[in-house]
Amino acid sequence: MKMWKKVGLVSALALSMFSLAACGKGSSADNGSTTAKATGQSTFKEPGKLDIYFFNEGKNVNKVVKKFESETKSTLNTQIKFHWTTDHKQEMPLKFAAKTPVDLTFDAYWQNLSKNISDGVYANLAKYFDNDKYPGLKKAFPKEVLDLVRQKNGAIYNIPLIATNGQAQGFIINGKLRKKYNLPKVTDDKTFYQYLDTMYKHQKQEKLTSVLSLWGIGYQDYLNQTQEKLQNNIVTITGPDYDVQLSPDGKKVEGIIGIGDPDSDAKNFKAPYNGKNFKNERYEEIASKYGKFVDPAALSGESSGTSKTAGTFTYLTEWPSKRADAVAKGEDPELYIWQDQVRNQKGTMISEMTTANNFLCIPRYSKNIDRTMAFLNWIYSSPKDKYTFPTYEMTDNTTYTKIDSTLSPDVKKMYAYSLDNKNWKANPLAGFNFDSTSDPAVKQAFASYNTALGDVRGYFQTGLYGSKTKEKLDAFYKKSKKDSDVVKAAMKKQIQAFLDARNK
């Protein structure tokens, strides 16, 4: 059995998975193919070639291609050629404009997806899903997943790649240091802070560069109470970084608040989030309580690869590789996942995703759409192992994610919980993605706002502004208010239109 597996983390791709998914027999296609036997497989009479454009070349790709071609020679009759871009965001629009043969490519909202969909670059792939001719796709992409990308008219232009239902997050603790100072095992916020504070007091003694490595993520997810807010119909829209309060029935937008906004903007929020800008409050708490634990050079990258810390931020999905790194350094790594539901496998969580982070797309001008979808059907038909591949570009899918057999029983349980669809509810705004490109004024305001936020976001998330945090929040608000007002007005309008269309 063969599986494509991710080799490393790309930090911008928050939903990457250490394990992987899928390739296998049992493919089908319609136009240009004929049904063969009673197996559901299809045969392309004429040989063909697919040109696939990705970035960050994975290991063993040629082995995977050879396996596919040999296994499907008598059915799909297709050769695969992978092209690896250097600057994917800049290169692909040029290839589309020149009608360069491209049969499958990666795209994302942080790349060119919004513009490409708006410009009609991509093919509508809706007919290939929930289709018995494509059993692999039907199994791998249930309605709940497709609803994240389905357009108002039912079209599907981008295939979502999702490794887990939600981002189970936590910190890796140095077990040797914890035991050395006779500290309890980290199991909750109290014992976590006790560990951090003790390491801070002995930082020089232990020759630590800092107590904690956040590798660009910050504390905001840890302290943001995302699940608590979602239970109160408060959805965080990432990118522009706003909290949106929906009515109890989920049909109306009742409030929007962003970083730096005055407390009065939270007047319509549900308690205990009403009357106070919770985002500001949390950033101030990060600075006053947790900022001292972070390396002052955390945002400069100067300590990257050379720092010695007592702990590091991690996603559950990154634990196997980070555990191996820690063991190699002579540490005794322990995992603390802060979400109670995941840690204890109890209760139901709400997905934080209004949409996926990463997608597969096919240019509308491709002459091999049926053949490409037959190839993808083959990939998602059965999970296999041993081959490595950057899964966030091809095979991240909850149906085919594998759990490392060497993990401890408690971590395996956390993985199993996070992968089981029945433990999750859909985000109240599942399928919504803010479009900043539809109006020139909104596009300009959005760009200006994100530029201003980019200058300060990392400092807020890590607490590095210290006692100046309130001052910096006020300064950011003053600088970005005009742009933020334009963005919030457009966001409210778009969300309400989205809700109205869904609730017709």
Side-chain angles (χ1 to χ4, degrees):
M1 304 277 300
K2 308 300 177 197
M3 180 189 285
W4 295 9
K5 189 171 182 180
K6 180 186 158 191
V7 281
L9 174 75
V10 176
S11 62
L13 308 173
L15 291 177
S16 296
M17 189 67 180
F18 80 94
S19 62
L20 43 126
C23 18
K25 297 179 180 178
S27 303
S28 56
D30 45 17
N31 299 334
S33 64
T34 58
T35 303
K37 302 180 182 180
T39 62
Q41 292 184 348
S42 298
T43 299
F44 287 88
K45 294 179 179 180
E46 299 297 325
K49 185 186 79 169
L50 299 181
D51 290 286
I52 299 176
Y53 280 79
F54 287 165
F55 60 97
N56 291 333
E57 182 173 356
K59 296 180 180 178
N60 296 323
V61 170
N62 290 335
K63 293 180 182 179
V64 176
V65 170
K66 288 180 181 179
K67 176 65 177 177
F68 163 75
E69 291 176 354
S70 65
E71 194 170 286
T72 63
K73 185 175 182 180
S74 63
T75 55
L76 299 188
N77 199 10
T78 300
Q79 292 183 323
I80 304 292
K81 181 173 178 58
F82 281 92
H83 305 262
W84 304 98
T85 58
T86 301
D87 189 335
H88 198 78
K89 185 174 183 178
Q90 298 298 322
E91 291 178 35
M92 293 315 298
L94 299 177
K95 296 186 185 301
F96 296 151
K99 296 295 189 294
T100 301
V102 177
D103 299 305
L104 186 68
T105 189
F106 174 90
D107 208 343
Y109 290 111
W110 48 274
Q111 293 259 318
N112 303 302
L113 186 62
S114 290
K115 186 175 189 306
N116 285 337
I117 290 178
S118 178
D119 291 346
V121 173
Y122 294 137
N124 177 9
L125 307 175
K127 70 178 182 179
Y128 298 97
F129 296 97
D130 195 21
N131 184 338
D132 290 335
K133 290 184 179 181
Y134 298 84
L137 297 178
K138 186 172 183 177
K139 180 181 179 183
F141 297 95
K143 180 180 182 299
E144 295 79 7
V145 172
L146 295 177
D147 282 349
L148 295 175
V149 295
R150 202 185 310 272
Q151 302 291 313
K152 294 177 184 178
N153 62 359
I156 295 174
Y157 300 111
N158 43 323
I159 304 172
L161 301 176
I162 301 172
T164 60
N165 291 296
Q167 299 182 51
Q169 302 170 336
F171 295 94
I172 297 174
I173 306 301
N174 187 323
K176 284 187 177 180
L177 290 178
R178 179 185 67 78
K179 294 168 185 175
K180 178 178 178 178
Y181 291 98
N182 197 31
L183 296 169
K185 191 170 182 178
V186 176
T187 57
D188 54 24
D189 292 349
K190 181 179 179 181
T191 50
F192 177 54
Y193 191 84
Q194 183 181 1
Y195 172 78
L196 295 179
D197 201 41
T198 302
M199 293 303 102
Y200 181 70
K201 293 173 181 175
H202 296 88
Q203 184 172 336
K204 289 184 179 181
Q205 180 180 338
E206 297 298 335
K207 299 180 180 179
L208 301 176
T209 308
S210 64
V211 174
L212 197 61
S213 171
L214 298 174
W215 52 277
I217 299 298
Y219 291 105
Q220 74 164 15
D221 289 337
Y222 170 52
L223 294 171
N224 202 32
Q225 292 190 359
T226 301
Q227 278 301 309
E228 292 86 343
K229 288 194 290 187
L230 282 169
Q231 298 292 342
N232 288 287
N233 263 13
I234 301 174
V235 183
T236 298
I237 305 297
T238 57
D241 288 274
Y242 291 101
D243 279 347
V244 179
Q245 175 72 70
L246 303 180
S247 59
D249 61 7
K251 294 182 178 181
K252 297 292 182 182
V253 179
E254 296 192 338
I256 299 180
I257 197 165
I259 298 168
D261 286 356
D263 293 343
S264 58
D265 283 8
K267 62 182 179 181
N268 292 329
F269 276 61
K270 192 170 181 179
Y273 305 101
N274 59 318
K276 176 75 174 178
N277 187 326
F278 186 76
K279 288 180 172 290
N280 291 0
E281 186 179 66
R282 281 313 196 204
Y283 283 140
E284 291 178 55
E285 179 182 1
I286 288 171
S288 62
K289 189 175 180 180
Y290 292 90
K292 63 184 179 181
F293 302 134
V294 183
D295 191 334
L299 300 179
S300 68
E302 294 176 7
S303 61
S304 178
T306 61
S307 61
K308 181 182 178 183
T309 64
T312 182
F313 173 93
T314 188
Y315 293 105
L316 175 61
T317 53
E318 291 300 316
W319 163 244
S321 60
K322 288 192 174 182
R323 176 189 61 170
D325 291 343
V327 170
K329 294 178 182 177
E331 300 172 1
D332 178 17
E334 298 173 346
L335 180 64
Y336 167 54
I337 295 296
W338 68 66
Q339 291 103 330
D340 292 340
Q341 297 96 328
V342 177
R343 193 171 63 249
N344 301 315
Q345 299 90 59
K346 298 176 76 173
T348 301
M349 296 183 75
I350 298 176
S351 174
E352 297 174 21
M353 296 179 291
T354 58
T355 187
N357 280 3
N358 311 307
F359 304 90
L360 291 173
C361 301
I362 300 177
R364 190 174 59 180
Y365 65 76
S366 169
K367 298 179 180 179
N368 296 304
I369 298 177
D370 292 329
R371 194 182 293 267
T372 302
M373 294 306 289
F375 166 63
L376 291 177
N377 181 71
W378 179 84
I379 283 180
Y380 291 113
S381 288
S382 64
K384 301 190 173 186
D385 59 15
K386 293 186 180 176
Y387 290 153
T388 359
F389 195 83
T391 65
Y392 53 82
E393 289 193 88
M394 177 69 85
T395 55
D396 267 344
N397 188 279
T398 57
T399 307
Y400 295 109
T401 297
K402 292 294 186 179
I403 300 175
D404 191 329
S405 61
T406 66
L407 296 175
S408 63
D410 61 324
V411 176
K412 285 182 181 178
K413 289 178 181 177
M414 287 191 281
Y415 268 109
Y417 172 91
S418 66
L419 291 171
D420 192 337
N421 291 335
K422 75 173 186 291
N423 296 323
W424 295 81
K425 292 181 180 178
N427 189 291
L429 289 179
F432 174 78
N433 184 73
F434 179 62
D435 184 2
S436 64
T437 65
S438 58
D439 180 274
V442 175
K443 183 178 181 179
Q444 178 59 47
F446 182 77
S448 297
Y449 176 83
N450 272 337
T451 297
L453 181 58
D455 293 338
V456 297
R457 178 192 276 133
Y459 293 91
F460 290 147
Q461 291 179 351
T462 54
L464 291 180
Y465 277 138
S467 60
K468 295 184 178 180
T469 298
K470 178 64 167 61
E471 173 188 330
K472 294 293 185 179
L473 283 166
D474 291 342
F476 170 73
Y477 173 69
K478 183 177 180 180
K479 179 179 181 179
S480 64
K481 182 183 185 306
K482 184 178 179 180
D483 293 322
S484 181
D485 286 346
V486 173
V487 172
K488 286 195 292 185
M491 182 179 294
K492 182 176 181 179
K493 183 178 179 180
Q494 289 183 27
I495 293 176
Q496 193 59 61
F498 173 85
L499 294 173
D500 291 344
R502 189 174 68 180
N503 292 307
K504 278 184 178 179

